[in-house]
Amino acid sequence: MSDAVRETLDRYYAALKAGDRVALRGVVADDIEVHYPAPEGLLPWAGDWTGFEGFEAFLKTVGDHLVIDAVEPISLHVAGDTVVTVLRGEWTVKATAQKVQTETVNMFTLRDGKITRYQVFTDTAALGIGLGRLAA
């Protein structure tokens, strides 16, 4: 993996963790696309979000419902302008106080040192159970 790709991801995750809007603006393209697939109505943050304002709305919606307790990178793969990270995470659902553990795949598309597309693939059923929207 190139140093530039590593630097972009490091800056992204650091800005995300710090909640630093200015730093996120520096690493996320103005026309970013966020894609988080899930069955309709299951996860409030699922769907497609566009532009930096849409990206911020996505983050706010996630933050309204989940607390990130731990995220551990498992692997990272680079293919051209696409970066795939596999993470193991634990979240607490604010409304139910339930803990949810999943492995999640984040797929980024990069252009000119910025993230232009962010896709998340995770265990939507586990999150739906944690939110109280599915039976265990």
Side-chain angles (χ1 to χ4, degrees):
M1 168 179 36
S2 77
D3 290 341
V5 169
R6 169 61 75 188
E7 179 186 340
T8 298
L9 290 180
D10 287 348
R11 288 176 39 223
Y12 172 76
Y13 283 121
L16 198 58
K17 184 176 181 179
D20 186 339
R21 183 180 193 274
V22 173
L24 281 170
R25 266 248 186 241
V27 74
V28 172
D30 290 339
D31 61 347
I32 187 170
E33 298 174 2
V34 176
H35 179 65
Y36 197 118
E40 189 170 336
L42 182 61
L43 306 177
W45 55 88
D48 294 305
W49 308 74
T50 57
F52 190 79
E53 292 73 25
F55 172 74
E56 287 186 309
F58 165 76
L59 293 179
K60 180 184 180 323
T61 304
V62 171
D64 287 348
H65 296 277
L66 300 177
V67 174
I68 299 170
D69 298 322
V71 175
E72 173 192 356
I74 297 171
S75 62
L76 187 139
H77 310 276
V78 179
D81 63 355
T82 302
V83 180
V84 176
T85 61
V86 181
L87 310 167
R88 183 175 297 119
E90 181 173 295
W91 296 264
T92 300
V93 177
K94 290 181 177 181
T96 64
Q98 284 204 4
K99 299 283 187 186
V100 177
Q101 296 176 343
T102 68
E103 287 188 8
T104 300
V105 173
N106 289 333
M107 188 172 353
F108 300 94
T109 303
L110 305 177
R111 181 183 69 231
D112 300 326
K114 290 197 173 192
I115 298 167
T116 60
R117 185 161 171 82
Y118 172 52
Q119 300 173 80
V120 182
F121 302 96
T122 193
D123 185 346
T124 57
L127 289 162
I129 291 167
L131 286 165
R133 296 181 177 194
L134 291 176

